[in-house]
Amino acid sequence: MVIKVYIASSSGSTAIKKQQQDVLGFLEANKIEFEEKDIAANEENRKWMRENVPEDSRPASGNPLPPRLFNDSRYLGDYDAFFEARENNAVYAFLGLTAPPGSKVGELL
């Protein structure tokens, strides 16, 4: 199982940049392995992300915006879903991973 984080390296939105940094920083700090997939520099990444975000998780108009998280090809959610899981100390459950022993962020949702 590989956590994939779809980001845009050249986003003009400071909000998106901050959200991406927040997700990546959290994963790095907690030593959670992940792959960073840049949709700005790679058309295949952009196409794959847009095709694999479920209909009910897409914006009413336009395309899904990063950051978006997947466990292999299973869609996990956007920044808001990640943030909520983090606030509830349920990041490992959100990511579909087993929490390390004694981990505070491992409780179930």
Side-chain angles (χ1 to χ4, degrees):
M1 295 190 292
V2 177
I3 302 303
K4 297 176 184 172
V5 183
Y6 284 79
I7 58 114
S9 60
S10 60
S11 173
S13 165
T14 54
I16 288 175
K17 286 179 186 176
K18 285 180 182 177
Q19 290 175 353
Q20 292 174 164
Q21 289 172 338
D22 191 28
V23 171
L24 298 176
F26 181 89
L27 296 175
E28 287 171 356
N30 287 281
K31 296 179 176 50
I32 297 171
E33 289 186 41
F34 67 94
E35 289 180 13
E36 194 174 311
K37 301 284 191 174
D38 188 357
I39 66 168
N42 185 313
E43 185 61 36
E44 286 300 312
N45 286 343
R46 178 187 358 255
K47 185 178 175 191
W48 192 92
M49 183 195 83
R50 289 181 178 165
E51 290 174 355
N52 288 280
V53 171
E55 275 305 314
D56 61 347
S57 297
R58 295 173 183 259
S61 63
N63 290 309
L65 298 174
R68 298 288 173 146
L69 293 94
F70 291 81
N71 186 329
D72 287 324
S73 60
R74 184 172 63 90
Y75 181 68
L76 301 174
D78 60 5
Y79 177 76
D80 292 337
F82 171 82
F83 182 81
E84 186 176 322
R86 192 176 69 188
E87 289 295 300
N88 292 322
N89 292 324
V91 172
Y92 286 92
F94 169 75
L95 296 173
L97 301 174
T98 302
S103 173
K104 185 177 155 193
V105 292
E107 299 166 17
L108 294 175
L109 291 170

